[in-house]
Amino acid sequence: MTLFSQVTGLPVEAAGGGGRLGEVRSLVVDVASGRVTHARIRRGRLRRDAVVAWPDLRATAHGLRAVRPTTDAPATPDLIGAEALTECGEEHGTVLDAEFDPLTGRLTTVLTTHGKVPAPHLLGLGNHALIVEDV
């Protein structure tokens, strides 16, 4: 298993040997499927972020390599740093990190300031908060 914090900041090479694309800024999560779907790539201060589908990235000795060109960024909020709320609106801390399987992209656990939340207990991620089941 891998933590989001272990992937953030990794250098990414462009598809087809096109040199350095940038570095991983964040990972995009689809809470409904429980998977990492894309990596947002920071390309520099004056350039827009690039986005690479998670299955189109391969590990290298020094970071990651995009095996296909970048795509448009999905309009989804970042998981890390999101406020976590229960479905009844009670605070469940702030998301600090998340654990996932790098081969499949499947989320296993979200780590908040109030403890761990198993991925099957995630209900949704919006602009305001991550919603988790009351347990």
Side-chain angles (χ1 to χ4, degrees):
M1 293 302 143
T2 300
L3 293 171
F4 278 33
S5 58
Q6 294 173 305
V7 176
T8 303
L10 285 177
V12 179
E13 296 173 14
R20 184 180 163 108
L21 180 61
E23 65 181 36
V24 177
R25 181 177 71 82
S26 65
L27 298 177
V28 177
V29 174
D30 175 23
V31 172
S33 69
R35 292 188 185 276
V36 172
T37 60
H38 295 81
R40 283 192 185 101
I41 312 300
R42 180 182 302 121
R43 298 190 307 172
R45 284 192 259 176
L46 302 177
R47 297 178 71 192
R48 290 184 51 189
D49 287 350
V51 177
V52 178
W54 185 253
D56 293 340
L57 290 169
R58 301 292 182 269
T60 67
H62 303 289
L64 300 170
R65 175 177 295 128
V67 296
R68 289 197 177 81
T70 60
T71 61
D72 292 331
T76 58
D78 287 337
L79 177 63
I80 305 304
E83 180 181 3
L85 298 173
T86 67
E87 56 194 321
C88 293
E90 296 176 17
E91 289 186 18
H92 196 64
T94 302
V95 177
L96 300 173
D97 214 335
E99 185 178 60
F100 73 108
D101 180 336
L103 296 177
T104 65
R106 177 142 324 263
L107 283 176
T108 56
T109 307
V110 172
L111 305 145
T112 74
T113 53
H114 288 201
K116 294 181 179 182
V117 179
H121 294 276
L122 305 178
L123 298 176
L125 177 62
N127 290 330
H128 179 66
L130 171 69
I131 307 301
V132 301
E133 287 181 348
D134 278 329
V135 281

